[in-house]
Every structure is written in structure tokens, then in C-alpha cells.
Amino acid sequence: GPDGPDGPDGPDGRVASFLVLGDWGWDPVAHGDVRSRYCQQSIANKMDETFQELGDVKFVINVGDSFYPSGVFDAEDEQWDSKWRHVYSAQVRSVPWYSVYGNHDMLGDNGTCSDEAFAAQINDNIKDLDHFFMPSYSWFLEHEDLDLEILALDFNNLWVDQTCPHTACEEECRKKVAERADAALDLFYERMEVSNASNLIVFSHYPTDYFWAYPDVLGNLSRATRPGGLERHVEYFGGHRHNVDQTSTTDISPNNNWLVGGGGGWSCDGSDQGFLVGKLFDDGRIETRPVLVNRCACCPCWWWWRP
């Protein structure tokens, strides 16, 4: 049955929950082995059901590749309707979607070849639920009521050779992507030093195994203390690879990380397609778990695939 919000006085001490999704904006023309919108829609329907059951979802973390194959061009693009508003219920969109750009989102976006002011997905109005909340390419938000900080990072430099050649401005794109990565690293190190929240949710489009070139990032993600030596837990989410798992990524224990790129938008890199539920408790714990749909709703389903 529903595990509704027991709250601080309830038996499980839960204070809030959230959902995490990535790689989802399926396109009828350009897609991999996900052959129809049925996969994305099945996941969206399951999100609606889960949102209802939880009863205390405060936000959705969206790790990008929201609009295959080339992103949205501006805030009025019809894909906001066809790939987002008409797929996910009004209920699931009744909370802010905290977002970053994926590599596909950049391709046709007006901000890729010019300034952030022209970027189609950048939006600093948290009350505007008709778009995502993304005040900059990389950004942070303190949820003091939940003793939580959100840190969103743009690391599209990690896929620059597969992205910028397909834009209208390869040279400018490379320059901007490098600048954004530098800004992301600066923000990351700064928040790791000064954030006093006992829980830090960090996300980008890329899973931890892409950070082999950034040992200091992995080191910081694995750190379990905050300023003054108090405990801190980091929960990291990335997408880009199309599965939901913890086995294909680089370990950051004692902290925790997930690949959550199985949103039904492009292809299957494994049989686990779906999203994550996160729960926050009054003793400072975060718990995360996957919610998966039947793999045959998403992927070519041959008899020799093991469950």
C-alpha cells in the first residue's frame, strides 16, 4: 500500500522525498533501439503512481538529455509539450525539476553558440513549473528546511568531441564548453569547502566513471566530512549511459552514487530502465532505490536475456 509521509513524528521519521530521472525525451524520428514512446510513457506513468504513494515529493532531479536528438531551441519550442508536458502528469510537474544540460540538449540550443542569456533551458524562476529550474549551467540551491544542498554541474566537456562537431559553431562551442566546465569545477570545490548541509545531492549528465581525469572530484565526492569536521553524506547522480544501476560507475564510498540514464529516451545499455526514489529522514539519512519498468516495455526483449 502507499507509504505516505509519516513525517518527523511518524514511525519512519521521513521529512521529504524526491525523484531522479535521466535521458528521457524520446523522439519519433531520431532514436536508438527504444522503438516507441511506450517506454518513456511507462516510466512517466510509474513516476505519477510513485509520486502519489509517497505524498511528500519536493522536487525532481533531471540529469539531462531531456529532448532528443538536439534539445529545444527556445522556451516556446513545441517539444516542451510533446516530450515533457504531455508525457509526465501535472502532478509530477507540480514540483520544480532541478536540471542540467545533457550533450543532446546542447546541439540545437540557442545558447550553445552564444551567451547564457539565449539558452533555451536556463530559467531562474523556481515558481515557473512550465519549464525546468536551472538558473545557470552549473548552480547550487540550499534547502535549509531539509538540511540539504543541491549542486548541479555542467561537464559536457567530457563528450565535447561527439557534441561540438554537430553544432553550428564547432570552435565557439568548444570554447564555451571548456569555460562551463571550469565554472563547474570552481563551483564544486567552493561548495564542498563551504556548504554546511549534512546532505549534499550532486548531479551532472555524466556518471562517476567519466571522472577518471578528475581524481580530485572523485576524492571530494568520497569525503564524508564538511567544514568543522561534522559528518556529511554525498549522493551523486549521473546519466548519459542508458541504464539504472550502481555497478557500472566508479565507487565513491562511504558516499553513494547512481547511474540513472534509463529514462526511455534513446536506447537500452542494460535491462534496468526507470527512475530513482530518494527519501530524506529527520536523523539526516538519505535512502535511494530504483523503480523499474518491465524491460520488455523498453528494450528488444529476446528470450536469452536474463532477468
Side-chain angles (χ1 to χ4, degrees):
D3 63 345
D6 293 308
D9 305 312
D12 78 346
R14 194 167 91 226
V15 292
S17 59
F18 60 92
L19 308 179
V20 192
L21 181 69
D23 300 79
W24 46 268
W26 188 84
D27 183 79
V29 176
H31 56 77
D33 62 8
V34 174
R35 301 286 187 209
S36 77
R37 174 151 287 128
Y38 184 70
C39 176
Q40 185 193 356
Q41 192 65 63
S42 301
I43 293 166
N45 296 350
K46 196 80 180 162
M47 286 173 74
D48 182 63
E49 201 180 295
T50 305
F51 192 110
Q52 183 78 32
E53 282 172 10
L54 288 163
D56 62 352
V57 174
K58 295 287 188 282
F59 52 85
V60 175
I61 299 279
N62 168 30
V63 304
D65 275 4
S66 308
F67 302 100
Y68 287 102
S70 307
V72 283
F73 302 106
D74 56 34
E76 306 308 315
D77 195 309
E78 69 78 29
Q79 296 177 95
W80 288 101
D81 280 336
S82 63
K83 295 175 184 176
W84 185 48
R85 298 183 196 122
H86 294 170
V87 180
Y88 302 91
S89 69
Q91 176 173 244
V92 172
R93 292 179 293 101
S94 69
V95 294
W97 280 47
Y98 296 157
S99 298
V100 288
Y101 273 83
N103 51 297
H104 280 272
D105 294 316
M106 290 171 53
L107 294 177
D109 190 287
N110 286 331
T112 298
C113 298
S114 62
D115 294 331
E116 189 172 303
F118 297 97
Q121 295 188 33
I122 301 275
N123 171 35
D124 64 1
N125 179 3
I126 202 163
K127 293 189 165 65
D128 172 13
L129 299 175
D130 284 331
H131 299 92
F132 309 146
F133 180 69
M134 196 189 326
S136 187
Y137 287 102
S138 295
W139 56 275
F140 75 96
L141 180 69
E142 293 169 288
H143 269 284
E144 285 174 18
D145 52 326
L146 301 174
D147 193 15
L148 171 72
E149 179 166 322
I150 312 280
L151 180 55
L153 303 167
D154 189 316
F155 283 130
N156 280 301
N157 62 311
L158 296 171
W159 204 243
V160 64
D161 292 335
Q162 292 81 4
T163 304
C164 288
H166 303 289
T167 64
C169 58
E170 181 172 356
E171 204 173 317
E172 184 66 10
C173 171
R174 287 180 181 276
K175 190 171 132 245
K176 295 241 180 275
V177 161
E179 285 168 3
R180 286 167 197 163
D182 287 346
L185 286 169
D186 288 349
L187 183 65
F188 174 72
Y189 292 127
E190 177 196 320
R191 296 317 300 169
M192 293 307 276
E193 282 308 314
V194 304
S195 170
N196 205 28
S198 61
N199 281 304
L200 199 51
I201 290 176
V202 186
F203 68 103
S204 82
H205 185 57
Y206 299 89
T208 52
D209 49 288
Y210 274 73
F211 295 149
W212 58 270
Y214 293 136
D216 290 352
V217 169
L218 287 169
N220 267 279
L221 289 173
S222 306
R223 223 170 66 199
T225 54
R226 54 186 150 135
L230 293 167
E231 279 184 23
R232 169 200 280 153
H233 177 77
V234 177
E235 196 80 22
Y236 180 86
F237 305 110
H240 192 57
R241 203 164 46 247
H242 306 138
N243 204 47
V244 178
D245 69 67
Q246 296 186 283
T247 53
S248 66
T249 62
T250 299
D251 184 46
I252 58 164
S253 54
N255 294 320
N256 193 38
N257 87 95
W258 285 91
L259 171 70
V260 61
W266 186 264
S267 67
C268 296
D269 292 325
S271 60
D272 292 347
Q273 307 297 308
F275 61 98
L276 297 173
V277 167
K279 296 178 180 179
L280 297 158
F281 296 90
D282 58 3
D283 61 2
R285 279 178 305 130
I286 282 195
E287 284 179 11
T288 43
R289 65 175 170 88
V291 178
L292 305 176
V293 298
N294 184 318
R295 69 177 189 274
C296 302
C298 293
C299 315
C301 198
W302 312 115
W303 61 268
W304 61 81
W305 272 43
R306 284 196 301 242

